[in-house]
Amino acid sequence: MALPDLSGMLPLRRESYDALMERQSDGSSLFPKVYEIFCSEMPRLLGELGVNLEKKDSEEAYEVLHQIKGSSAAMGAGRLWELAQFALDMCSDGSVLEERFLLQEIEMEIGLYHGAIRAIREY
């Protein structure tokens, strides 16, 4: 099973970003706080996913992919969310373990998301 073609989607759901940028009751924006968490958690999750794929452990890979999907949804990383959802579906029959480029694709999508964030914040 091939990974999905995400080229027709934007890496960032702008409405999610805008919602996170809205001011909280203390006057600060939520985005910088959650983006920092996202940035610090993704390397750990990618490392765990790589280990689980190498060990051929689809159950543990599922757990990590579920965390990536949740973080992606919260941050508005639409393409990353789609990829994580697709990979979660692949866990049901174990085919996720045969997908050689999954980790690289996830890393690429994270990079595209970061690029989209930088572009907005510099605008």
Side-chain angles (χ1 to χ4, degrees):
M1 183 182 297
L3 294 175
D5 177 10
L6 303 172
S7 61
M9 296 179 65
L10 295 173
L12 171 65
R13 291 186 177 132
R14 182 61 191 252
E15 62 278 1
S16 298
Y17 173 81
D18 291 342
L20 289 170
M21 285 301 292
E22 288 180 10
R23 300 286 175 202
Q24 297 177 321
S25 60
D26 68 357
S28 67
S29 170
L30 186 58
F31 181 80
K33 296 171 192 169
V34 294
Y35 186 64
E36 183 178 327
I37 294 168
F38 179 84
C39 290
S40 67
E41 284 295 304
M42 278 301 137
R44 178 187 64 79
L45 292 172
L46 289 172
E48 287 180 22
L49 181 60
V51 167
N52 292 321
L53 293 174
E54 198 171 295
K55 290 182 354 187
K56 303 287 187 197
D57 189 338
S58 62
E59 288 181 27
E60 288 298 318
Y62 180 92
E63 295 300 321
V64 174
L65 286 163
H66 194 269
Q67 291 177 53
I68 292 171
K69 179 184 150 191
S71 294
S72 302
M75 297 303 299
R79 286 173 55 139
L80 181 57
W81 184 92
E82 288 288 337
L83 183 56
Q85 178 59 56
F86 186 84
L88 282 170
D89 292 342
M90 293 174 69
C91 287
S92 63
D93 66 2
S95 62
V96 72
L97 302 175
E98 306 307 318
E99 183 49 62
R100 298 181 327 175
F101 300 109
L102 176 61
L103 202 54
Q104 293 167 330
E105 288 292 318
I106 291 173
E107 289 172 343
M108 183 185 75
E109 291 304 330
I110 291 169
L112 289 172
Y113 174 75
H114 288 309
I117 293 298
R118 279 191 303 276
I120 287 176
R121 296 189 60 96
E122 292 173 359
Y123 179 72

